[in-house]
Amino acid sequence: MNTFNTNEMNQQFDNFFMAPARAYAALTLDYAEKMLNAQVNASQAYAETGIAQLRQLANVKDSEGLRSYMEGQQQVVKQLAEQAKGDADNVVALHQNYFQKSQKLAEDSVKQAQTAASKMRKPA
């Protein structure tokens, strides 16, 4: 009489389905956290720059002060462009890292399933 081994079945189910799902969920959560932090940091930097510029504008009292403020805007635009480029590069790097790691998880899962399938085909 054959006995049904539920522990082995549960272990195989965990190995083939749940473990890869947990790994992918952890990877996705880590990615989402990094993306959210990048967005918050970028937003904060842009907001601080905007507020600083408004404070400088509010302190303009004469035409010389306005001219000085307007000349400083070129530097601000340059800094914002550099900040935007750095932020974009950071997001691209996060995307690439996430893609590479998720692709590796998928490949590992397929290899593990192929190995298990080949073991099942062999007579005991």
Side-chain angles (χ1 to χ4, degrees):
M1 179 169 163
N2 289 339
T3 58
F4 191 66
N5 188 345
T6 58
N7 288 337
E8 185 178 333
M9 186 178 83
N10 287 340
Q11 184 64 40
Q12 287 179 351
F13 181 78
D14 184 64
N15 288 344
F16 295 130
F17 298 107
M18 297 308 295
R22 281 191 302 270
Y24 185 74
L27 176 66
T28 301
L29 183 59
D30 183 53
Y31 168 75
E33 180 183 21
K34 288 177 182 177
M35 285 296 294
L36 181 62
N37 285 334
Q39 291 171 348
V40 167
N41 291 339
S43 296
Q44 184 176 1
Y46 297 133
E48 288 173 357
T49 299
I51 289 170
Q53 290 306 298
L54 289 173
R55 288 191 193 282
Q56 284 182 358
L57 183 59
N59 289 327
V60 170
K61 297 190 182 5
D62 56 18
S63 61
E64 182 60 31
L66 181 60
R67 185 184 64 73
S68 177
Y69 172 79
M70 296 305 287
E71 288 173 355
Q73 293 304 294
Q74 293 175 354
Q75 182 62 29
V76 171
V77 169
K78 182 180 176 185
Q79 288 173 347
L80 287 174
E82 290 173 2
Q83 175 75 32
K85 183 187 180 311
D87 292 339
D89 290 345
N90 186 30
V91 168
V92 168
L94 287 172
H95 284 308
Q96 288 175 338
N97 185 278
Y98 175 74
F99 176 76
Q100 289 169 352
K101 287 183 177 182
S102 61
Q103 188 175 22
K104 174 92 168 86
L105 279 174
E107 288 171 359
D108 291 347
S109 294
V110 168
K111 285 178 186 176
Q112 185 179 8
Q114 287 173 339
T115 301
S118 68
K119 287 179 182 178
M120 289 177 162
R121 284 188 221 133
K122 292 180 182 177

